[in-house]
Amino acid sequence: MNDTPGWTSPGSAPSDGQDGSGVPGPPSSADANGSTAQWSKDQPPAGQWSPPTDRTPPPAPGQNWGTPPPNVHWGRPPAAKPGIVPLRPLGTGEILDGSAKTLRTHWRTVLAITIPVAVISQTANILAQRYLVPVPPEVNADATPAEQLQQSVDSAQASLIALGPSLLVTMVASLVSAALLTVVISRAVLGRPVSLGSAWQEARPRLLQLLGLTLLLVAAAVAIVTVGVLPGLLIGGAPGVALTSLGGLGAAVAAVWLMIRFSLSSPALMLERRGVVPALKRSAKLVRGSWWRIFGITLLTQLLVFLFAMIIAIPFTLIGIAVDGEGFSGLLSGTTTTFGWPFLIITGIGGVITSAITYPISAGVTVLLYVDQRIRREALDLELARAAGLPGYGPAPGTDTVGG
């Protein structure tokens, strides 16, 4: 009897390496004494073995099998993150989080930019509403529906014209804010702080070009809408109304497509130091093939900004109505409501708070979309890692911004 451990069993094999059934058995081998040892009859079926898939290294003393050793990252190593976002293609949540993180990390510089801009914008808006916007006319109940519609259109047109100076001041203030915030966010991507003075010094040479770019985009949108609704307005009547509605819808779609296509032109102009037309071409190139993704992220951002503005504006509006007795009595009586200074000042404070927080969020999403598209198309993450001075990426170039 063979008493050696293993897969062998006592006894001798049938002749010619076969068992009683005539099926060839496992191979036999001779031990040191010359005796023949056989494999056990309980063998796995042929072809059932599979290569091992677990590449876990042998456990250290005191560890169990299957538990990875500490401080070991399986799979792809994490991306470098010198600043507010990791240097790799970004998801929607990372873009929104990076914008909010800029406000949290560099709040002194950001609020030093957005609060004065918000105060200027709200002051211009309050003065325009108090002194320029005409009082809405009383709608004649005996007038025909067409006459009532014409009165409403005339009132809205007069209000829009009166708000023109306020809108111009707001646009210029927002433009300066966007330019400064673009510089701040580009530094935040590299993990570098920036002061208000250095941001102004870097953004100031590009302000006139940025103003020209903004006016050009506004003019293009107005021209598209005008072309869409003008034929219906010229025809008039029921066919004109139908044509105006259809043309207005088509013009709105075309204007949105154009705005998204050129939405990255502002950071391209500021960070790559391009002219107006090259910045537009650069934006069109970066957006190509990603229009729907950029549209979705932009729409989501504007929706979140709108919800936040409503959350802030509603309490201030209710407080303003309660404080302003004249406006409150007008609401109760159902007559034309004219709010006084208390209502305008209280709602203006709410507008300042809203703008001071939403400006950096909107600007941050635009800049980070630009960075994300360049990472996806041009491997900008390697340049950013070198600019941030991370080890293993070569010497850092002589620039502190994303585009340079």
Side-chain angles (χ1 to χ4, degrees):
M1 179 178 292
N2 188 349
D3 56 358
T4 58
W7 289 345
T8 59
S9 59
S12 59
S15 61
D16 298 330
Q18 296 181 351
D19 58 13
S21 62
V23 179
S28 60
S29 59
D31 58 12
N33 299 325
S35 61
T36 301
Q38 289 187 324
W39 296 95
S40 172
K41 294 181 180 181
D42 298 327
Q43 294 293 318
Q48 296 299 315
W49 288 101
S50 59
T53 58
D54 185 9
R55 302 193 178 199
T56 306
Q63 267 188 323
N64 296 324
W65 283 96
T67 303
N71 302 322
V72 173
H73 299 284
W74 298 106
R76 194 173 183 178
K81 188 179 179 181
I84 56 175
V85 292
L87 301 184
R88 55 169 171 75
L90 303 174
T92 303
E94 291 172 325
I95 292 176
L96 295 172
D97 180 69
S99 302
K101 191 174 294 184
T102 302
L103 177 60
R104 294 195 305 267
T105 306
H106 307 284
W107 62 271
R108 290 185 179 87
T109 303
V110 171
L111 293 182
I113 295 171
T114 58
I115 289 180
V117 169
V119 169
I120 293 173
S121 300
Q122 291 299 321
T123 302
N125 188 37
I126 289 174
L127 294 177
Q129 291 186 26
R130 184 62 178 174
Y131 295 111
L132 298 179
V133 176
V135 178
E138 294 285 347
V139 178
N140 188 3
D142 298 331
T144 63
E147 292 175 346
Q148 293 180 1
L149 178 62
Q150 186 63 38
Q151 291 177 0
S152 301
V153 171
D154 293 341
S155 176
Q157 183 179 3
S159 300
L160 184 61
I161 294 175
L163 285 174
S166 173
L167 295 177
L168 181 61
V169 172
T170 301
M171 185 185 69
V172 174
S174 301
L175 184 144
V176 174
S177 172
L180 296 175
L181 289 173
T182 298
V183 177
V184 173
I185 296 165
S186 67
R187 298 280 186 89
V189 171
L190 303 177
R192 297 178 179 177
V194 57
S195 63
L196 178 60
S198 60
W200 169 253
Q201 184 178 5
E202 186 169 344
R204 184 178 57 184
R206 321 299 300 176
L207 289 179
L208 287 179
Q209 288 182 320
L210 186 59
L211 176 61
L213 174 65
T214 304
L215 293 177
L216 181 60
L217 291 177
V218 172
V222 171
I224 291 174
V225 174
T226 302
V227 171
V229 302
L230 186 60
L233 295 177
L234 294 177
I235 294 175
V241 172
L243 185 58
T244 300
S245 302
L246 184 60
L249 179 60
V253 172
V256 170
W257 178 85
L258 187 71
M259 292 301 104
I260 297 299
R261 182 176 176 84
F262 296 134
S263 61
L264 304 183
S265 56
S266 175
L269 185 145
M270 292 296 302
L271 300 178
E272 299 184 28
R273 297 171 176 85
R274 295 174 177 263
V276 173
V277 175
L280 293 173
K281 293 180 179 179
R282 180 72 165 141
S283 176
K285 180 180 179 181
L286 291 174
V287 173
R288 186 181 300 120
S290 302
W291 190 94
W292 283 106
R293 178 175 180 271
I294 295 176
F295 170 75
I297 295 176
T298 303
L299 181 62
L300 176 62
T301 302
Q302 295 306 316
L303 178 61
L304 294 176
V305 168
F306 174 76
L307 292 177
F308 178 80
M310 289 297 100
I311 292 174
I312 300 297
I314 290 175
F316 279 90
T317 302
L318 296 177
I319 294 173
I321 293 175
V323 171
D324 195 334
E326 182 181 355
F328 185 71
S329 61
L331 287 177
L332 293 179
S333 62
T335 60
T336 301
T337 303
T338 302
F339 292 104
W341 283 109
F343 175 82
L344 295 176
I345 292 175
I346 292 175
T347 55
I349 293 174
V352 169
I353 296 174
T354 301
S355 300
I357 297 177
T358 57
Y359 277 168
I361 300 299
S362 299
V365 168
T366 301
V367 175
L368 292 180
L369 276 173
Y370 164 83
V371 172
D372 174 63
Q373 288 301 111
R374 287 197 61 186
I375 288 177
R376 294 172 183 269
R377 301 286 179 86
E378 304 168 357
L380 181 66
D381 51 333
L382 302 179
E383 297 295 333
L384 293 177
R386 280 193 287 267
L390 299 180
Y393 290 91
T399 179
D400 290 332
T401 56
V402 171

